[in-house]
Amino acid sequence: MNEGYSTVAMNQREGDYVPIRDAENVQLGMFDKPLPCFGCGIGWFSLLLGFVFPLMWYFSAILYFGKYYNKDPRERSGLAACAIAAIVFTIAAVIALLVYLL
């Protein structure tokens, strides 16, 4: 039997297993809620929206460097992708500006 589930009759509904909350592992049920922004998270949503509005990449980069992902580790990859996109966009903008001015 799996340790994380209870088979006690009062915890069952129509034969389904019910997860047990663990006192030692408080994060066991912490991430059961879906991510914001249509379930894909702030980071990935900002990455997609950044192609239309590039300032969103900078907003997400600030969240990434401010360690926003400590609240929800599932956000880390999307925020990191936005930080990389912000750096690439900045380098491309500086090169384009230099080419235009010279």
Side-chain angles (χ1 to χ4, degrees), residues 63-92:
L63 289 178
Y64 178 72
F65 292 122
K67 298 194 185 244
Y68 177 78
Y69 56 83
N70 283 342
K71 292 182 182 179
D72 192 348
R74 300 177 294 174
E75 294 279 359
R76 187 175 193 160
S77 59
L79 293 174
C82 284
I84 293 168
I87 291 169
V88 169
F89 180 76
T90 302
I91 292 170

Side-chain angles (χ1 to χ4, degrees), residues 5-18:
Y5 293 94
S6 172
T7 57
V8 178
M10 62 189 245
N11 288 336
Q12 281 186 331
R13 290 186 320 231
E14 301 176 17
D16 293 337
Y17 288 106
V18 179

